[in-house]
Structure formats: C-alpha cells, structure tokens
Amino acid sequence: MTIYDYLLGELRKYGSIHLTLLDPDKIDIDKFVELSKNAEKSGSSAVMVGGSLGVNEKLLDEYLEAAKREVNIPFILFPGNIAGLSSKADALFYLSVLNSLDPYYIIGAQVQASILLAKRYTSLDVISMAYIIVGEGGAAGYVSNARMLPFERDDIIIAYALAAKYLGFNVIYLEAGSGAKEPVRPSILAKMKRLVDRPIMVGGGIRTPEVAYSIALAGADMIVTGTVVEESPSMVLSDIVDAVHRGGMDRKN
Ligand code: 1GP
C-alpha cells in the first residue's frame, strides 16, 4: 500500500486527519524523536518533516533514522527546496508553489529533483501537492516569493484550487504560513470542497482544538500543526487530534 493510499484510508476512518509538522532546523534530534513519538501516541496520522531554511540531507538522514527506530506512523518529507530530500523517509510531498512569482518554486526545483527521485530516492512514495500560500504566508511565502492571496478573495483562492484539480495534483495545501496570526478561514472550505474532489490540507496558525475543529468541520481533510507541537505539552496535541477527528466525523454525519 502506498502512503497516499494509507492517508486516504485514514480519511475514510476519521473523516479528517491530523499531520504533525516538525522542522529539523528548529529542534535537536532528541526532541525530534520525542515529538514524533508523541505525535503517534496522540493519534496524528503522519509526521511531515521539513522547513524553509536550514535543512539538508545529512541532517534529515540522522533525524529520520533515529525516529524511525521508535515510531511507526509514516514520515513524509515536506521540502523547502532541493536539499530537503532523504531516502530515510517514507514519502515525499512533491510540491509546487502555484502562486510563486519565481519559476524555480513552481517547476524548477521539481525538475532538479525528478532525476534524483527516479535514480536515487526510488523508495520514496511521491505525492504531488499543489501548495497555495494565503494570508501572511510566513517564511514559506517569503522564501518562495509567493504573491500572497488575501483571505477574503475566496474566488481567486478557489480558482487556484480548481487549477490544481485539473492539473491532476494528489492533494491541495492551503498554507497560511507557520506561526501565522490568522489561520485559513473555515468559510472558504465548504465552497472549495463542493468544487474540488481532492484532499484539502490546511495549515498555519492553528493552535487550539476549537480552531482545528471548525476547520475540519468546514471541509479540511488534513490539518497540519507545527508550532503548537514544538511549543506545548502532549495533552494539547491529543486534544487537537481529537478535535480534528470529531470535526471530520460531524461533517460526514
Ligand atoms: C507550516 O502550516 C504549517 O507549513 C504549520 O504551521 O507552525 O503555525 O502550525 P504552524
């Protein structure tokens, strides 16, 4: 079974699922292992690994090797650039920043990575991702030179998501930016869900179970949290994961 199939299976089971984002540049290896174990214990479906700056293959190899000895949920690379690849992960979000003004982030990095994926990282499951940066956009928006989409322009954001669907991406990620003051607004998600039959991921600035619940209830299939996981104790994460599952189930019923 591919990791994408696994994620779809988790979606069927829970309605909406939670993914934990860990940035190896921000935490040491022991913390990475501890937070990965906590993610699994809290019911998170996978660990996303990556960041916009300060990550390379050697670092990823070491962190992933250590964590995979103790954790069974999949590790999915979430690279900020070509240096974010490692054969020690299970899968790769092969992402294109659709609203970047720089062709490198739309297709350049992907072309550089393609030969490596075919020859060197053959064990990685490749999951294509349309990455759409909204609101403040955080470091991801700045580094990838995205032309940020204002939250209130539902029409333009949905047009991007539709383009992603017609281009055949596996998943669509609405990113408000790590640590964003305002997360993606739930109001856009129900509309998007009606038009776009692809898993929709949402992340950036989600810090409480209440916000996670409202975003899952509105239509997000996968909810990503990073900052809150790195900064808060374990109870908070399981509360957020439970809220995501409840939101997904309440949406379906
Ligand atoms: C970043 O959306 C993710 O790609 C996570 O954001 O750190 O705000 O949870 P936070």
Side-chain angles (χ1 to χ4, degrees), residues 21 78 131 173 175 177-180 203-206 224-227:
L21 174 65
F78 181 53
Y131 196 52
Y173 190 3
E175 168 73 272
S178 186
I206 300 169
V224 182
T225 62
T227 304

Side-chain angles (χ1 to χ4, degrees), residues 80-93:
N81 56 53
I82 185 96
L85 299 175
S86 161
S87 55
K88 309 288 179 199
D90 300 292
L92 162 71
F93 281 133

Side-chain angles (χ1 to χ4, degrees), residues 69-163:
R69 278 198 286 271
E70 306 199 43
V71 177
N72 292 312
I73 54 174
F75 286 81
I76 308 177
L77 298 169
F78 181 53
N81 56 53
I82 185 96
L85 299 175
S86 161
S87 55
K88 309 288 179 199
D90 300 292
L92 162 71
F93 281 133
Y94 189 54
L95 66 93
S96 172
V97 186
L98 292 195
N99 59 322
S100 175
L101 295 174
D102 182 342
Y104 176 78
Y105 291 97
I106 305 169
I107 188 61
Q110 298 74 6
V111 170
Q112 286 183 337
S114 65
I115 305 285
L116 293 169
L117 292 175
K119 289 191 179 165
R120 209 170 147 211
Y121 300 99
T122 49
S123 63
L124 290 177
D125 272 344
V126 178
I127 302 169
S128 62
M129 169 189 281
Y131 196 52
I132 303 170
I133 306 185
V134 297
E136 354 172 338
Y142 186 83
V143 171
S144 64
N145 196 10
R147 184 175 176 215
M148 252 70 92
L149 297 163
F151 284 127
E152 58 276 13
R153 292 312 302 259
D154 288 17
D155 52 345
I156 303 176
I157 299 171
I158 286 174
Y160 269 92
L162 275 170

